[in-house]
Amino acid sequence: MTIEFNLKTPLAHARNLMDWVDLTLPVKDALLETYSSNQRAYHNLYHIAFLWHSHLVLARNMTERDRRRIANVIAGHDFVYNAMSKTNEIDSANWWRLNVVPRCLDASDILWIGNAIEATANHFADRPMQTDDEILLQWFLGLDLICLA
């Protein structure tokens, strides 16, 4: 399967992603500005836009709740980016936890999203896949690597 993606319009895809993210408008704008920085190599606006686009193409039958969970993880998972730091993922998760304004998320969603952001520190960890939440986490971790394929 080929995933067609217009390299000229990552902002359009990122704005669509923001429609699913439980952050205030000023925080969403700051998030998009951060990902648009020229100081970022791989973890940039193109990356989150491509992840969201790929997710929509590949996971057409996902529930609205899970789609919202994935959107929030995509948006927050690389927000903090410092090539010299070993805590980017924890810092990104903490940033997201501080800024989330749950519109459609419950406490279990917030816990899952924060933990999923932290899990990006080690995509290849051996994790169980027995529950729907564990399977969704594996989906996201694989999705995060799709750009490298």
Side-chain angles (χ1 to χ4, degrees), residues 3 18 21 24 30 33 39 43 47-48 54 90 108 110 118 124 127 130 134 147:
I3 298 175
M18 292 301 110
V21 174
T24 64
E33 184 176 326
Q39 305 301 314
H43 300 101
H47 176 61
I48 64 166
S54 299
I90 291 170
S108 68
I110 292 169
E118 289 184 15
F124 301 109
R127 295 182 177 89
Q130 298 171 358
E134 291 165 347
C147 298

Side-chain angles (χ1 to χ4, degrees), residues 7-139:
L7 295 172
K8 296 178 183 177
T9 60
L11 186 57
H13 294 285
R15 289 198 190 283
N16 178 263
L17 167 66
M18 292 301 110
D19 291 341
W20 289 85
V21 174
D22 288 56
L23 300 170
T24 64
L25 186 57
V27 173
K28 289 177 184 182
D29 289 343
L31 184 142
L32 292 175
E33 184 176 326
T34 297
Y35 278 111
S36 297
S37 168
N38 291 333
Q39 305 301 314
R40 290 175 168 249
Y42 174 75
H43 300 101
N44 55 26
L45 187 68
Y46 174 85
H47 176 61
I48 64 166
F50 185 74
L51 289 181
W52 181 241
H53 176 74
S54 299
H55 173 67
L56 294 178
V57 169
L58 297 171
R60 292 186 180 138
N61 295 326
M62 191 165 280
T63 66
E64 184 173 321
R65 175 185 182 214
D66 285 345
R67 186 173 300 229
R68 185 167 300 281
R69 291 166 113 190
I70 293 295
N72 278 273
V73 177
I74 290 172
H77 84 286
D78 286 324
F79 179 77
V80 176
Y81 179 68
N82 175 350
M84 306 307 289
S85 175
K86 295 185 184 222
T87 63
N88 288 330
E89 294 81 5
I90 291 170
D91 295 341
S92 291
N94 287 337
W95 172 87
W96 184 85
R97 289 178 183 116
L98 286 172
N99 287 285
V100 66
V101 180
R103 294 185 319 259
C104 301
L105 301 173
D106 64 25
S108 68
D109 296 326
I110 292 169
L111 178 65
W112 184 90
I113 293 164
N115 290 343
I117 293 171
E118 289 184 15
T120 62
N122 186 352
H123 292 82
F124 301 109
D126 185 22
R127 295 182 177 89
M129 291 199 324
Q130 298 171 358
T131 68
D132 289 343
D133 282 356
E134 291 165 347
I135 292 167
L136 189 63
L137 175 60
Q138 289 302 316
W139 166 259

